[in-house]
Amino acid sequence: MGEKSWKYYVVQKEIHPPMLVRGKKFVLRAHVLAWVRGGTLRLFLHSEPLVSEHEKLFEAGGASMAALVLQGGTRTPAYLLNDDSELLPALRLSILEQMGTTAAAVFRELHSQHPLAPHQQSSDGALYQLYGLDFMLDSTGKALLLEVDSRTSTPTSTPDPQPP
């Protein structure tokens, strides 16, 4: 049985109560470029995470509460969490700081355990990889890491900065 047939599962404590936007759960996708040259790791966190809202309203205590994750449901098109966004304006800087601190801790450990692959080496000898980090916020605004994705899909055009 090869690696392609392996199934990976992650079990984590439910984020309860979650922060809601317009009564819906949401995920923030941060993009991080990891760059290594001469053994030195540098990270570049994009300053405008993507916001992806669940299409259905969150029902506390409902049957869907215990196991519902955004991947299991449908989502609205993602939009940017930027300076012009009406979403969470008071928390935006705190969210970015928490994402940066978490990314630094995760990638320090990742780099020590699993160096970047040589096929990602640039002509100047640097190694690089783009990652997607998914976060949810609890009701106090604490950012909690859900997933680190090394095969992140990136849009070829800029999403609308505001939800429809």
Side-chain angles (χ1 to χ4, degrees), residues 1-9:
M1 185 182 310
E3 183 177 334
K4 290 183 179 185
S5 65
W6 293 357
K7 292 184 179 183
Y8 297 93
Y9 298 93

Side-chain angles (χ1 to χ4, degrees), residues 28-137:
L28 296 168
R29 166 57 66 104
H31 288 99
V32 173
L33 177 65
W35 179 86
V36 179
R37 187 172 186 194
T40 301
L41 171 66
R42 294 188 66 194
L43 300 174
F44 301 89
L45 174 66
H46 193 278
S47 63
E48 297 179 339
L50 293 172
V51 180
S52 184
E53 297 176 26
H54 197 280
E55 283 192 344
K56 295 184 180 180
L57 293 176
F58 176 72
E59 296 178 31
S64 63
M65 186 173 99
L68 181 65
V69 293
L70 290 181
Q71 289 83 352
T74 54
R75 295 182 270 179
T76 59
Y79 55 92
L80 295 174
L81 176 64
N82 58 24
D83 288 332
D84 298 327
S85 177
E86 294 177 20
L87 175 67
L88 312 170
L91 290 176
R92 185 177 177 278
L93 291 178
S94 172
I95 292 167
L96 289 174
E97 183 178 313
Q98 291 178 70
M99 288 177 164
T101 300
T102 301
V106 166
F107 284 99
R108 259 193 309 273
E109 183 63 24
L110 179 68
H111 180 59
S112 71
Q113 300 295 322
H114 304 283
L116 295 172
H119 72 274
Q120 297 159 320
Q121 192 164 5
S122 66
S123 59
D124 67 353
L127 300 172
Y128 59 92
Q129 172 74 41
L130 182 64
Y131 293 89
L133 282 73
D134 291 342
F135 292 85
M136 278 187 76
L137 303 179

